[in-house]
Amino acid sequence: MSSKPDASRPRAADTKKVHIADTQMTRQNWYKHVNWLNVTFIIGIPIAGCIQAFWVPLQPKTAIWAVIYYFFTGLGITAGYHRLWAHCSYSATLPLRIWLALVGGGAVEGSIRWWARDHRAHHRYTDTDKDPYSVRKGLLYSHLGWMVMKQNPKRIGRTDITDLNEDPVVVWQHRNYIKVVLTMGLIVPMLVSGLGWGDWYGGFVYAGILRIFFVQQATFCVNSLAHWLGDQPFDDRNSPRDHIITALATLGEGYHNFHHEFPSDYRNAIEWHQYDPTKWTIWTCKQLGLAYDLKQFRSNEIEKGRVQQLQKKIDQKRAKLDWGTPLDQLPVMEWDDYVEQTKNGRGLISIAGVVHDVTDFIKDHPGGKAMIKSGLGKDATAMFNGGVYYHSNGAHNLLSTMRVGVIRGGGEVEIWKRAQKENSEYVRDETGQRIIRAGQQVTKMPEPIPTADAA
């Protein structure tokens, strides 16, 4: 006999609970979408610190210490969490790894394991739905929203963190993260101020709470501002950009277009004048024997990327310009028809076998009306290429926009040879247009053709 299902047990479908992030936000359930723990740490505590600052005077020594500790904890994120653990752009000795894990924890931005895992997903799935802080979802979302609103962890792209799970420093910090945060985030800055010059409360508020707030906002700028403000000198297929303002706000992480193209490079700034204190810190650690195996992309590959992007921008500009009707799309004209149309008042001129209608240009010809009229209805190739005057590159370009046909007979063989060359050998840009270099116009002859009189 078949057994009846137990009504007290839930059906299989009932066990699959839909994550709140995958449901529509309404007035009734909006609070369920909010990550209240992160709101407390990222928004609530900083607001409380700002309120306390009204009653706590800021002593000069405390202000200096807060700035120093800001750089310590900020570098813990940029040199530690980011370039060491997320991208493995260099190797560090055990003392340096411990130090970076401690001060990085003092920035209160999650454990190394959690931070690096999401950042690797960000690089692998940039600007997609699997990117945990995609700027495509809005500037505010990429800056703060992804932290204060709940995300379905299953929606975030998968990444390999085997190396992080095998690093004892990373594992220790992850397991003791709350202790590290309380100690390095609040207790240490307060102890230094208190034991150093008796400003316990000032150390807690300024070097502790408010310093954490500014470090966090600086890091969040990498997720938002660095994908919104600046130039894209290496690639524009995704959102990362380079800008000095972002670099100043993020301890050198603002050259983000370079970073996304060459993520394993320990540098973000490759020019000597660009602001990247994180790079300088890593290099200094190497000189002290604390860091080694600093990775750099070959300059040849970097320049190739730069040149390719420049060429892409040039192609985009080229596509908006009028280069004239392509030779293989021009109609064929008989010589007698060409002469007859000229006699009937149409301003046609033949150069290198290509017929051009210069009717509206005769009055604007820099060499005068008589000079250009003398070539109408004739083969003016020699005249245009030095028999009378060596016309400029601009003149050849302008002439190409006046093409109306190709002569059959006489120069036909030569012009079709050149047309065939254009189809087989000429480089084309990404829009499919032939790239005509200066001096390579079809009307440009390598050597002046002697005129009949000269012969």
Side-chain angles (χ1 to χ4, degrees):
M1 296 178 62
S2 61
S3 59
K4 296 182 179 181
D6 188 353
S8 63
R9 299 182 63 183
R11 291 177 295 176
D14 295 336
T15 62
K16 297 181 179 179
K17 186 177 180 181
V18 178
H19 195 278
I20 186 64
D22 296 330
T23 64
Q24 185 177 2
M25 185 185 299
T26 64
R27 292 182 178 179
Q28 288 73 33
N29 72 354
W30 66 269
Y31 63 93
K32 295 181 180 179
H33 286 261
V34 178
N35 187 325
W36 292 106
L37 180 62
N38 284 350
V39 168
T40 301
F41 281 108
I42 298 174
I43 299 176
I45 293 179
I47 290 176
C50 290
I51 294 173
Q52 294 178 68
F54 281 102
W55 291 279
V56 180
L58 177 58
Q59 297 184 22
K61 291 181 180 179
T62 304
I64 294 172
W65 163 236
V67 171
I68 293 173
Y69 202 54
Y70 168 89
F71 274 88
F72 281 166
T73 53
L75 289 169
I77 297 296
T78 60
Y81 279 40
H82 188 207
R83 303 191 196 185
L84 174 61
W85 282 295
H87 293 297
C88 305
S89 64
Y90 70 100
S91 299
T93 59
L94 181 60
L96 181 58
R97 297 205 328 270
I98 292 174
W99 168 251
L100 291 172
L102 290 174
V103 292
V108 193
E109 296 182 17
S111 69
I112 298 167
R113 185 178 182 275
W114 175 86
W115 197 102
R117 179 251 180 273
D118 270 14
H119 191 72
R120 290 180 181 181
H122 165 66
H123 271 261
R124 184 176 180 183
Y125 304 101
T126 304
D127 298 339
T128 69
D129 289 337
K130 293 183 178 182
D131 182 347
Y133 27 86
S134 172
V135 77
R136 302 296 185 203
K137 297 179 181 179
L139 185 66
L140 184 60
Y141 179 87
S142 63
H143 185 81
L144 196 63
W146 71 280
M147 289 286 288
V148 300
M149 304 302 293
K150 291 180 179 178
Q151 288 195 74
N152 185 349
K154 294 182 179 180
R155 301 291 183 190
I156 300 174
R158 295 179 176 231
T159 58
D160 181 13
I161 57 171
T162 304
D163 58 318
L164 301 178
N165 292 332
E166 294 175 351
D167 188 328
V169 175
V170 174
V171 173
W172 172 84
Q173 196 230 37
H174 186 73
R175 290 177 178 174
N176 299 277
Y177 179 67
I178 299 300
K179 296 177 183 177
V180 173
V181 164
L182 292 175
T183 302
M184 301 301 297
L186 298 172
I187 296 175
V188 167
M190 182 177 63
L191 282 175
V192 172
S193 297
L195 296 175
W197 48 90
D199 189 15
W200 295 89
Y201 208 15
F204 178 78
V205 172
Y206 294 105
I209 295 176
L210 295 183
R211 187 264 320 159
I212 290 173
F213 171 74
F214 286 113
V215 169
Q216 289 176 343
Q217 296 306 310
T219 303
F220 297 161
C221 283
V222 181
N223 304 332
S224 57
L225 206 60
H227 287 260
W228 178 72
L229 176 67
D231 301 321
Q232 296 177 300
F234 298 98
D235 196 3
D236 62 0
R237 291 176 298 171
N238 293 317
S239 60
R241 298 172 182 271
D242 289 359
H243 203 283
I244 180 61
I245 291 178
T246 314
L248 291 172
T250 60
L251 300 183
E253 303 282 27
Y255 302 100
H256 214 51
N257 192 251
F258 172 86
H259 172 63
H260 268 255
E261 281 298 293
F262 312 104
S264 63
D265 198 308
Y266 87 97
R267 308 163 299 173
N268 262 205
I270 57 174
E271 305 296 341
W272 68 268
H273 56 82
Q274 293 176 323
Y275 179 76
D276 189 359
T278 303
K279 172 188 70 177
W280 303 331
T281 300
I282 296 171
W283 181 87
T284 301
C285 287
K286 178 186 178 182
Q287 308 312 307
L288 298 174
L290 297 172
Y292 56 97
D293 191 22
L294 277 58
K295 297 182 176 65
Q296 294 185 35
F297 259 82
R298 290 187 297 170
S299 59
N300 182 70
E301 307 312 307
I302 294 173
E303 287 308 308
K304 276 160 54 175
R306 197 197 304 271
V307 169
Q308 287 170 332
Q309 182 62 11
L310 286 173
Q311 187 64 60
K312 185 175 183 180
K313 291 179 179 179
I314 291 173
D315 291 345
Q316 291 170 350
K317 289 184 178 181
R318 181 187 291 110
K320 298 177 182 178
L321 302 176
D322 178 10
W323 296 90
T325 306
L327 296 176
D328 52 7
Q329 296 178 21
L330 292 172
V332 178
M333 300 176 63
E334 300 293 340
W335 178 263
D336 292 341
D337 183 34
Y338 160 66
V339 174
E340 184 66 24
Q341 289 191 42
T342 305
K343 289 180 179 179
N344 291 335
R346 193 177 182 191
L348 299 181
I349 191 169
S350 174
I351 300 175
V354 182
V355 180
H356 307 83
D357 189 339
V358 297
T359 305
D360 297 331
F361 182 69
I362 293 175
K363 65 181 185 301
D364 299 321
H365 184 237
K369 296 180 182 179
M371 190 65 69
I372 192 171
K373 283 183 177 180
S374 67
L376 299 181
K378 302 176 183 178
D379 183 352
T381 305
M383 180 189 301
F384 194 76
N385 283 275
V388 174
Y389 179 69
Y390 274 118
H391 281 75
S392 66
N393 186 66
H396 285 277
N397 285 337
L398 177 62
L399 193 64
S400 70
T401 65
M402 303 177 189
R403 296 173 179 172
V404 293
V406 175
I407 294 293
R408 184 192 301 281
E412 179 192 13
V413 174
E414 180 63 25
I415 191 61
W416 287 123
K417 281 182 180 179
R418 300 189 75 178
Q420 192 69 23
K421 181 179 180 181
E422 282 191 353
N423 288 327
S424 61
E425 297 181 10
Y426 276 32
V427 178
R428 294 177 182 267
D429 64 24
E430 63 175 14
T431 67
Q433 290 185 325
R434 287 187 289 265
I435 298 176
I436 309 300
R437 309 292 185 194
Q440 291 182 346
Q441 295 91 340
V442 68
T443 50
K444 178 74 174 178
M445 296 292 106
E447 295 292 338
I449 298 175
T451 62
D453 292 340

